[in-house]
Amino acid sequence: MLAGIPNWNSSNSNNYLYTRQNYWTISPYWFNDGFALVFVVYSNGSLDGGYVYVPIGVRPVINIRADVALTGSGTVLDPFKVVGAD
């Protein structure tokens, strides 16, 4: 929801999670009987959640403070680095 998706299961391509691909975020939204249910972003930009049992992509989601920056290009030889954090 913080990514700009107004509500569950609503198509939305105007958020930073939208990639035109289905993927799990790894971020849990509920725990049930020892199992985590995680967020899934569908190819149309909608947000849902469920048990991880369907083989689709994975994209971890992290949140950083507004007063820090990222350097690097995200490759193996030039990984992203968070700079400016205390």
Side-chain angles (χ1 to χ4, degrees), residues 48-67:
D48 201 353
Y51 295 107
V52 179
Y53 61 88
V54 178
I56 60 176
V58 175
R59 293 178 190 254
V61 174
I62 62 168
N63 295 297
I64 59 173
R65 295 184 339 208
D67 62 341

Side-chain angles (χ1 to χ4, degrees), residues 71-81:
T71 63
S73 61
T75 65
V76 172
L77 298 176
D78 186 26
F80 289 123
K81 295 180 184 173

Side-chain angles (χ1 to χ4, degrees), residues 33-44:
D33 292 329
F35 294 95
L37 286 81
V38 299
F39 288 105
V40 60
V41 179
Y42 290 110
S43 59
N44 67 357

Side-chain angles (χ1 to χ4, degrees):
M1 301 299 186
L2 295 175
I5 301 173
N7 50 42
W8 290 87
N9 297 318
S10 76
S11 178
N12 181 346
S13 61
N14 296 320
N15 66 77
Y16 69 87
L17 297 176
Y18 176 70
T19 64
R20 291 188 221 126
Q21 298 176 335
N22 297 327
Y23 63 90
W24 301 106
T25 67
I26 303 180
S27 300
Y29 79 93
W30 188 260
F31 293 93
N32 185 18
D33 292 329
F35 294 95
L37 286 81
V38 299
F39 288 105
V40 60
V41 179
Y42 290 110
S43 59
N44 67 357
S46 66
L47 180 68
D48 201 353
Y51 295 107
V52 179
Y53 61 88
V54 178
I56 60 176
V58 175
R59 293 178 190 254
V61 174
I62 62 168
N63 295 297
I64 59 173
R65 295 184 339 208
D67 62 341
V68 299
L70 293 178
T71 63
S73 61
T75 65
V76 172
L77 298 176
D78 186 26
F80 289 123
K81 295 180 184 173
V82 178
V83 294
D86 293 333

